[in-house]
PDB file of all heavy atoms in Angstrom:
ATOM      1  N   LEU A 318      19.446 163.629  62.707  1.00  0.00           N
ATOM      2  CA  LEU A 318      19.221 164.768  63.595  1.00  0.00           C
ATOM      3  C   LEU A 318      20.516 165.272  64.225  1.00  0.00           C
ATOM      4  O   LEU A 318      20.703 166.462  64.425  1.00  0.00           O
ATOM      5  CB  LEU A 318      18.222 164.383  64.683  1.00  0.00           C
ATOM      6  CG  LEU A 318      16.780 164.193  64.219  1.00  0.00           C
ATOM      7  CD1 LEU A 318      15.912 163.734  65.389  1.00  0.00           C
ATOM      8  CD2 LEU A 318      16.232 165.482  63.628  1.00  0.00           C
ATOM      9  N   LYS A 319      21.435 164.356  64.521  1.00  0.00           N
ATOM     10  CA  LYS A 319      22.672 164.776  65.159  1.00  0.00           C
ATOM     11  C   LYS A 319      23.541 165.608  64.224  1.00  0.00           C
ATOM     12  O   LYS A 319      24.430 166.327  64.667  1.00  0.00           O
ATOM     13  CB  LYS A 319      23.459 163.576  65.677  1.00  0.00           C
ATOM     14  CG  LYS A 319      24.001 162.661  64.578  1.00  0.00           C
ATOM     15  CD  LYS A 319      24.781 161.506  65.189  1.00  0.00           C
ATOM     16  CE  LYS A 319      25.376 160.596  64.126  1.00  0.00           C
ATOM     17  NZ  LYS A 319      26.140 159.469  64.709  1.00  0.00           N
ATOM     18  N   GLN A 320      23.279 165.510  62.900  1.00  0.00           N
ATOM     19  CA  GLN A 320      24.029 166.291  61.928  1.00  0.00           C
ATOM     20  C   GLN A 320      23.243 167.499  61.432  1.00  0.00           C
ATOM     21  O   GLN A 320      23.803 168.553  61.177  1.00  0.00           O
ATOM     22  CB  GLN A 320      24.387 165.425  60.718  1.00  0.00           C
ATOM     23  CG  GLN A 320      25.269 164.241  61.037  1.00  0.00           C
ATOM     24  CD  GLN A 320      25.477 163.350  59.815  1.00  0.00           C
ATOM     25  OE1 GLN A 320      24.757 163.452  58.838  1.00  0.00           O
ATOM     26  NE2 GLN A 320      26.455 162.473  59.887  1.00  0.00           N
ATOM     27  N   ALA A 321      21.936 167.320  61.328  1.00  0.00           N
ATOM     28  CA  ALA A 321      21.116 168.310  60.626  1.00  0.00           C
ATOM     29  C   ALA A 321      21.197 169.701  61.217  1.00  0.00           C
ATOM     30  O   ALA A 321      21.385 170.682  60.506  1.00  0.00           O
ATOM     31  CB  ALA A 321      19.666 167.835  60.588  1.00  0.00           C
ATOM     32  N   CYS A 322      21.037 169.806  62.521  1.00  0.00           N
ATOM     33  CA  CYS A 322      20.977 171.140  63.111  1.00  0.00           C
ATOM     34  C   CYS A 322      22.331 171.812  63.141  1.00  0.00           C
ATOM     35  O   CYS A 322      22.423 173.020  63.372  1.00  0.00           O
ATOM     36  CB  CYS A 322      20.399 171.058  64.525  1.00  0.00           C
ATOM     37  SG  CYS A 322      18.643 170.632  64.530  1.00  0.00           S
ATOM     38  N   VAL A 323      23.377 171.055  62.931  1.00  0.00           N
ATOM     39  CA  VAL A 323      24.710 171.643  62.890  1.00  0.00           C
ATOM     40  C   VAL A 323      25.042 172.115  61.481  1.00  0.00           C
ATOM     41  O   VAL A 323      25.441 173.259  61.263  1.00  0.00           O
ATOM     42  CB  VAL A 323      25.767 170.623  63.371  1.00  0.00           C
ATOM     43  CG1 VAL A 323      27.170 171.226  63.255  1.00  0.00           C
ATOM     44  CG2 VAL A 323      25.480 170.210  64.803  1.00  0.00           C
ATOM     45  N   TYR A 324      24.834 171.230  60.500  1.00  0.00           N
ATOM     46  CA  TYR A 324      25.260 171.527  59.136  1.00  0.00           C
ATOM     47  C   TYR A 324      24.144 172.080  58.245  1.00  0.00           C
ATOM     48  O   TYR A 324      24.398 172.806  57.301  1.00  0.00           O
ATOM     49  CB  TYR A 324      25.824 170.254  58.488  1.00  0.00           C
ATOM     50  CG  TYR A 324      27.016 169.692  59.230  1.00  0.00           C
ATOM     51  CD1 TYR A 324      26.906 168.523  59.964  1.00  0.00           C
ATOM     52  CD2 TYR A 324      28.241 170.350  59.205  1.00  0.00           C
ATOM     53  CE1 TYR A 324      27.997 167.996  60.650  1.00  0.00           C
ATOM     54  CE2 TYR A 324      29.335 169.832  59.879  1.00  0.00           C
ATOM     55  CZ  TYR A 324      29.212 168.663  60.603  1.00  0.00           C
ATOM     56  OH  TYR A 324      30.287 168.159  61.279  1.00  0.00           O
ATOM     57  N   TRP A 325      22.899 171.698  58.531  1.00  0.00           N
ATOM     58  CA  TRP A 325      21.796 172.087  57.654  1.00  0.00           C
ATOM     59  C   TRP A 325      20.656 172.693  58.468  1.00  0.00           C
ATOM     60  O   TRP A 325      19.496 172.362  58.283  1.00  0.00           O
ATOM     61  CB  TRP A 325      21.293 170.866  56.880  1.00  0.00           C
ATOM     62  CG  TRP A 325      22.301 170.319  55.938  1.00  0.00           C
ATOM     63  CD1 TRP A 325      23.117 169.257  56.132  1.00  0.00           C
ATOM     64  CD2 TRP A 325      22.633 170.832  54.642  1.00  0.00           C
ATOM     65  NE1 TRP A 325      23.925 169.054  55.053  1.00  0.00           N
ATOM     66  CE2 TRP A 325      23.650 170.007  54.115  1.00  0.00           C
ATOM     67  CE3 TRP A 325      22.150 171.900  53.870  1.00  0.00           C
ATOM     68  CZ2 TRP A 325      24.211 170.213  52.854  1.00  0.00           C
ATOM     69  CZ3 TRP A 325      22.705 172.103  52.625  1.00  0.00           C
ATOM     70  CH2 TRP A 325      23.706 171.278  52.126  1.00  0.00           C
ATOM     71  N   PHE A 326      20.985 173.632  59.347  1.00  0.00           N
ATOM     72  CA  PHE A 326      19.992 174.161  60.270  1.00  0.00           C
ATOM     73  C   PHE A 326      18.778 174.720  59.550  1.00  0.00           C
ATOM     74  O   PHE A 326      17.634 174.380  59.854  1.00  0.00           O
ATOM     75  CB  PHE A 326      20.615 175.257  61.146  1.00  0.00           C
ATOM     76  CG  PHE A 326      19.619 175.887  62.090  1.00  0.00           C
ATOM     77  CD1 PHE A 326      19.287 175.258  63.274  1.00  0.00           C
ATOM     78  CD2 PHE A 326      18.990 177.085  61.766  1.00  0.00           C
ATOM     79  CE1 PHE A 326      18.351 175.814  64.135  1.00  0.00           C
ATOM     80  CE2 PHE A 326      18.062 177.649  62.619  1.00  0.00           C
ATOM     81  CZ  PHE A 326      17.741 177.016  63.809  1.00  0.00           C
ATOM     82  N   LEU A 327      18.994 175.590  58.560  1.00  0.00           N
ATOM     83  CA  LEU A 327      17.872 176.232  57.894  1.00  0.00           C
ATOM     84  C   LEU A 327      17.009 175.234  57.134  1.00  0.00           C
ATOM     85  O   LEU A 327      15.797 175.414  56.986  1.00  0.00           O
ATOM     86  CB  LEU A 327      18.376 177.320  56.928  1.00  0.00           C
ATOM     87  CG  LEU A 327      18.973 178.555  57.585  1.00  0.00           C
ATOM     88  CD1 LEU A 327      19.504 179.515  56.525  1.00  0.00           C
ATOM     89  CD2 LEU A 327      17.932 179.269  58.442  1.00  0.00           C
ATOM     90  N   VAL A 328      17.635 174.168  56.643  1.00  0.00           N
ATOM     91  CA  VAL A 328      16.895 173.179  55.866  1.00  0.00           C
ATOM     92  C   VAL A 328      16.122 172.234  56.772  1.00  0.00           C
ATOM     93  O   VAL A 328      14.933 171.988  56.574  1.00  0.00           O
ATOM     94  CB  VAL A 328      17.854 172.375  54.969  1.00  0.00           C
ATOM     95  CG1 VAL A 328      17.110 171.268  54.260  1.00  0.00           C
ATOM     96  CG2 VAL A 328      18.530 173.309  53.966  1.00  0.00           C
ATOM     97  N   GLU A 329      16.780 171.678  57.774  1.00  0.00           N
ATOM     98  CA  GLU A 329      16.182 170.623  58.569  1.00  0.00           C
ATOM     99  C   GLU A 329      15.380 171.123  59.768  1.00  0.00           C
ATOM    100  O   GLU A 329      14.260 170.682  60.000  1.00  0.00           O
ATOM    101  CB  GLU A 329      17.279 169.663  59.072  1.00  0.00           C
ATOM    102  CG  GLU A 329      18.169 169.115  57.967  1.00  0.00           C
ATOM    103  CD  GLU A 329      17.450 168.096  57.102  1.00  0.00           C
ATOM    104  OE1 GLU A 329      16.277 167.811  57.364  1.00  0.00           O
ATOM    105  OE2 GLU A 329      18.067 167.579  56.163  1.00  0.00           O
ATOM    106  N   CYS A 330      15.949 172.040  60.532  1.00  0.00           N
ATOM    107  CA  CYS A 330      15.335 172.401  61.801  1.00  0.00           C
ATOM    108  C   CYS A 330      14.145 173.332  61.647  1.00  0.00           C
ATOM    109  O   CYS A 330      13.379 173.511  62.593  1.00  0.00           O
ATOM    110  CB  CYS A 330      16.385 173.026  62.724  1.00  0.00           C
ATOM    111  SG  CYS A 330      17.664 171.839  63.181  1.00  0.00           S
TER     112      CYS A 330
END
Side-chain angles (χ1 to χ4, degrees):
L318 289 177
K319 67 179 182 180
Q320 298 175 344
C322 290
V323 177
Y324 300 108
W325 295 99
F326 178 81
L327 290 177
V328 175
E329 307 288 359
C330 295

